[in-house]
Amino acid sequence: LTVGAIEVQEIKVGRSALVVALKDGLLNLDLTELNLYGGVGKGKITVDARGAVPKIAKNFVMEGIQAEPLLTDASGFDRLSGTGRMDISITAKGRSQKEMVGALNGKGAVKFVDGAVKGIDLAGMVRNIQSAFTSAGDKQVQKTDFAELSGTFTITNGILQNNDLLMLNPLVRLSGSGSSDLPKRAVNYRLEPKVVASLQ
């Protein structure tokens, strides 16, 4: 199949090509071309319904993706901008969405460059703690520009773990680590900002 554009809920996909094979309850989708929010990518999806419990596997590599429009359309999250690379490999099994979330396993890596996090100004926090956060009366939304924001993650039975979040800013270095319990919708995460000694 080759299409000029696809819209999945709010997500807008550009020109794409995929090879589809279905036999005896096993579906293989090979996305050989994927244009998405200014970037390109490839991916593979497998849906195995041959057993009593369906299994799903997904592998995607995307390069040059514009973070803000993608995240806005995918989840309504508009606080991150930048150009990114995503490398994701996940598997799941279950008879319902809830079971699949609890049986989710995989790993991935993300890296965004030349972007910003809206809603907080870490450099402003260094200069004046009272002006660091967005307030209702602000004429301009506070933001923290970054040269790079990156991290890797693993998922084990629905628990996502990240230990190497890193954000590089001219005045602040931000590191983070923690976990997200997807079935329970709970997050335990620690962020540590550190002031850089000079603009060098």
Side-chain angles (χ1 to χ4, degrees):
L1 302 174
T2 302
V3 296
I6 304 173
E7 186 167 334
V8 183
Q9 295 181 340
E10 300 298 324
I11 300 176
K12 302 170 185 67
V13 183
R15 179 180 170 83
S16 302
L18 64 153
V19 178
V20 183
L22 173 62
K23 183 178 181 180
D24 299 329
L26 178 63
L27 174 67
N28 286 300
L29 299 174
D30 190 357
L31 289 95
T32 57
E33 179 185 1
L34 181 64
N35 287 277
L36 187 67
Y37 294 94
V40 295
K42 294 182 178 181
K44 291 186 177 181
I45 302 174
T46 300
V47 180
D48 188 348
R50 294 174 296 181
V53 179
K55 301 176 183 178
I56 297 175
K58 299 180 182 181
N59 295 277
F60 285 95
V61 177
M62 294 174 283
E63 186 84 48
I65 305 295
Q66 296 300 311
E68 186 171 6
L70 171 61
L71 294 175
T72 299
D73 287 351
S75 62
F77 183 82
D78 62 354
R79 292 180 175 268
L80 178 67
S81 65
T83 303
R85 173 185 169 89
M86 301 180 187
D87 191 337
I88 301 171
S89 177
I90 58 173
T91 62
K93 61 181 180 179
R95 297 180 181 86
S96 66
Q97 186 181 51
K98 182 178 180 180
E99 285 186 9
M100 287 187 175
V101 172
L104 194 64
N105 290 279
K107 62 181 180 178
V110 295
K111 181 179 180 180
F112 297 102
V113 296
D114 300 329
V117 179
K118 299 178 183 178
I120 184 171
D121 182 359
L122 292 177
M125 183 183 292
V126 173
R127 295 188 293 268
N128 181 356
I129 188 65
Q130 292 181 342
S131 66
F133 297 91
T134 302
S135 66
D138 284 345
K139 294 181 180 179
Q140 183 176 357
V141 175
Q142 304 286 359
K143 66 177 183 176
T144 298
D145 295 320
F146 59 79
E148 178 182 321
L149 175 63
S150 62
T152 61
F153 64 86
T154 59
I155 307 174
T156 305
N157 295 327
I159 309 297
L160 186 148
Q161 183 72 41
N162 162 257
N163 296 316
D164 61 355
L165 180 73
L166 177 65
M167 187 185 77
L168 304 178
N169 172 277
L171 293 176
V172 179
R173 298 290 185 267
L174 182 70
S175 60
S177 63
S179 63
S180 175
D181 189 326
L182 302 179
K184 295 181 179 179
R185 299 183 179 182
V187 176
N188 181 14
Y189 205 86
R190 180 180 179 86
L191 293 171
E192 295 187 0
K194 295 183 180 180
V195 179
V196 180
S198 70
L199 290 175
Q200 297 297 322

